[in-house]
Amino acid sequence: MKNRWMIKFYPVRYAQDRQCWFTFGMHWDFYDTFDPLDDRLKSVVSEYTSITGEVNNRNSSFLKNAAAIIKVDDPTFTVEYCTVDIIIYHFADVMLSHAECINENKGAPTQEAIDLVNEIRNRVNLPNLTATQTANKEVFNKAI
């Protein structure tokens, strides 16, 4: 079934076959909290050279307020219908929210909460949380 609502996911003039504005943005202050080795940044456009040769980054008009998040990609998309299901929530967000709820309810991180966060970190090639990052409720929330 085709989806009538196409999420525009690439910045304008990003590439020859991708001519649209991006809808989802990641504010630069949040972007800067990611470890540069985090695989999730592979789906975030923080700098690119447009098809007209213009370099775009956080200091230019198209990406001035936020990096572009590539939520979905449908290379067959040529008309108003998209063949890709729209992602509303990522399971990783649910797991991190669960870990945060456990931490809040118990007043400290439990092994279950730590394991949830580490599962997400390991999936994106980041190491497990350190003992310092799981020492108490406040530092664990910051780590999440």
Side-chain angles (χ1 to χ4, degrees):
M1 175 175 216
K2 295 195 178 212
N3 182 346
R4 188 170 184 88
W5 296 98
M6 177 60 193
I7 296 176
K8 298 184 186 312
F9 46 87
Y10 283 106
V12 69
R13 296 188 294 275
Y14 180 71
Q16 193 65 36
D17 59 342
R18 300 286 190 266
Q19 298 282 327
C20 61
W21 293 88
F22 76 92
T23 302
F24 295 103
M26 177 187 289
H27 289 280
W28 291 111
D29 56 344
F30 183 64
Y31 176 90
D32 292 336
T33 66
F34 280 74
D35 185 307
L37 300 177
D38 192 320
D39 279 352
R40 290 174 291 181
L41 291 180
K42 291 178 182 174
S43 64
V44 178
V45 178
S46 60
E47 183 172 324
Y48 71 98
T49 302
S50 72
I51 60 173
T52 60
E54 177 185 5
V55 175
N56 292 280
N57 55 37
R58 67 175 69 205
N59 299 314
S60 62
S61 60
F62 294 121
L63 298 177
K64 183 177 181 181
N65 295 316
I69 299 172
I70 303 170
K71 295 285 277 186
V72 294
D73 190 359
D74 182 1
T76 65
F77 174 66
T78 57
V79 293
E80 66 180 304
Y81 290 98
C82 173
T83 60
V84 177
D85 291 332
I86 296 175
I87 300 165
I88 298 175
Y89 291 104
H90 288 277
F91 188 59
D93 295 331
V94 174
M95 292 172 69
L96 294 174
S97 294
H98 187 192
E100 185 177 10
C101 288
I102 292 170
N103 189 44
E104 287 295 324
N105 287 331
K106 299 290 184 181
T110 65
Q111 191 59 52
E112 179 186 13
I114 294 166
D115 290 345
L116 286 166
V117 174
N118 283 336
E119 185 175 343
I120 301 302
R121 291 178 61 83
N122 294 163
R123 186 183 59 78
V124 296
N125 295 320
L126 292 176
N128 286 342
L129 293 172
T130 65
T132 303
Q133 292 172 302
T134 61
N136 60 50
K137 176 181 168 182
E138 290 76 25
V139 296
F140 187 65
N141 272 341
K142 185 171 175 66
I144 292 173

